Amino acid sequence: PSGTGTLPGGFTYAAVSAPTITSIIPTCGPTAGGTTVTINGTGLLGAAVTIGGNPATNVFYNAAGTQIIATTPPGFAGPATVTVTTAAGTASLPGAFTYTAPPTLTGISPSQGSTAGGTTVTITGTNLSGAAVTICGNPATNLFYNATGTQIIATTPAGGPGACTVTVTTCGGTASLTGAFTYTTTTQTLTASPACWEVNLPIPLPNLFKTTLRAQVAPPVAGLKVDFYVGNDLVGSAFTDITGTATLHAFLGPLQIIAISYTAVTTVGTSRLQATAPLLPCIPPV
């Protein structure tokens, strides 16, 4: 027989709050995706998650609906909005997760230094902003980055004699140069070559005199900065080449040419090296 049956109170409507997001940890990862993140908030149970508009995967929820664990999708370099969507609504955190391009390394200069550490090195590559640096697995210190993320200036840690791998690590990944920096126990010396000055012809003004100053580090270390002084005046700086030689073409004033000598100064590791050589008139003129 046909008819109608009723079950009083058989379905209950419950108030469901819209989701909220308070944070995502970590806040950055590689453009390739694959970062496991934790999203915190409320009303998150069963939420769909997108990052930069792309769906996250491997999504898990805690029973209280206050936390989601998920895997980031691939994305473009830069900040991305994190969005969760449930039947009760949507919540977003604009720019809460930053995709970071992977770093690369092209070189380190100088390429050797004291086992005591303390050598100031310049590391070059791409996407290096904020990178942690290790040399032979030990962290470098005093890290400074240029604005374009192509250069890091750092201080080497102490290390054992021999070649070491240089590694940089960012949110975008890790890059290494095997055997790029060598720790040495050899003590470097600095020598300065005799120099002469002459009138800066054909038109000497405003630089009346000119000279070429040259200093050499032995055993050779490339990329060391050498400062050249005439009297108490710093007249310029130059970097050592692969032979360990730094050459400076400098201009001098009338008071500087009476100094009769010049001084070259550099630092290798924690050691300050200094050398002095004659600076006399060129006879005959050169």
Side-chain angles (χ1 to χ4, degrees):
S2 61
T4 300
T6 301
L7 181 63
F11 183 83
T12 301
Y13 286 95
V16 179
S17 299
T20 67
I21 304 176
T22 56
S23 64
I24 181 171
I25 301 171
T27 59
C28 62
T31 53
T35 302
T36 299
V37 294
T38 299
I39 300 169
N40 298 300
T42 61
L44 301 178
L45 194 61
V49 179
T50 64
I51 300 176
N54 299 311
T57 56
N58 305 318
V59 180
F60 299 94
Y61 316 90
N62 70 348
T66 58
Q67 194 172 83
I68 298 173
I69 296 175
T71 302
T72 61
F76 295 104
T81 295
V82 178
T83 300
V84 296
T85 302
T86 69
T90 296
S92 295
L93 277 182
F97 186 83
T98 300
Y99 282 105
T100 306
T104 67
L105 284 180
T106 56
I108 181 171
S109 180
S111 59
Q112 66 180 38
S114 169
T115 54
T119 301
T120 299
V121 294
T122 299
I123 300 166
T124 54
T126 61
N127 304 316
L128 300 178
S129 295
V133 177
T134 62
I135 300 176
C136 260
N138 299 313
T141 56
N142 304 319
L143 304 179
F144 298 93
Y145 314 90
N146 69 349
T148 58
T150 58
Q151 194 174 85
I152 302 173
I153 296 175
T155 302
T156 61
C164 279
T165 296
V166 178
T167 301
V168 296
T169 302
T170 72
C171 281
T174 297
S176 296
L177 282 178
T178 303
F181 185 83
T182 300
Y183 283 106
T184 175
T185 57
T186 304
T187 301
Q188 264 79 23
T189 60
L190 180 69
T191 56
S193 301
C196 67
W197 56 263
E198 62 179 334
V199 176
N200 184 28
L201 297 174
I203 303 175
L205 294 177
N207 302 303
L208 294 178
F209 307 99
K210 63 182 180 180
T211 186
T212 298
L213 308 179
R214 186 172 287 108
Q216 186 171 34
V217 175
V221 179
L224 291 177
K225 181 185 178 185
V226 180
D227 296 324
F228 292 90
Y229 294 85
V230 176
N232 293 322
D233 300 327
L234 175 65
V235 295
S237 302
F239 289 89
T240 56
D241 59 20
I242 60 173
T243 69
T245 302
T247 302
L248 177 70
H249 302 290
F251 295 108
L252 305 176
L255 296 180
Q256 292 169 327
I257 64 172
I258 64 174
I260 74 171
S261 67
Y262 74 95
T263 300
V265 179
T266 191
T267 300
V268 181
T270 57
S271 301
R272 185 177 187 270
L273 306 180
Q274 180 174 314
T276 299
L279 176 60
L280 302 172
C282 296
I283 302 174
V286 295

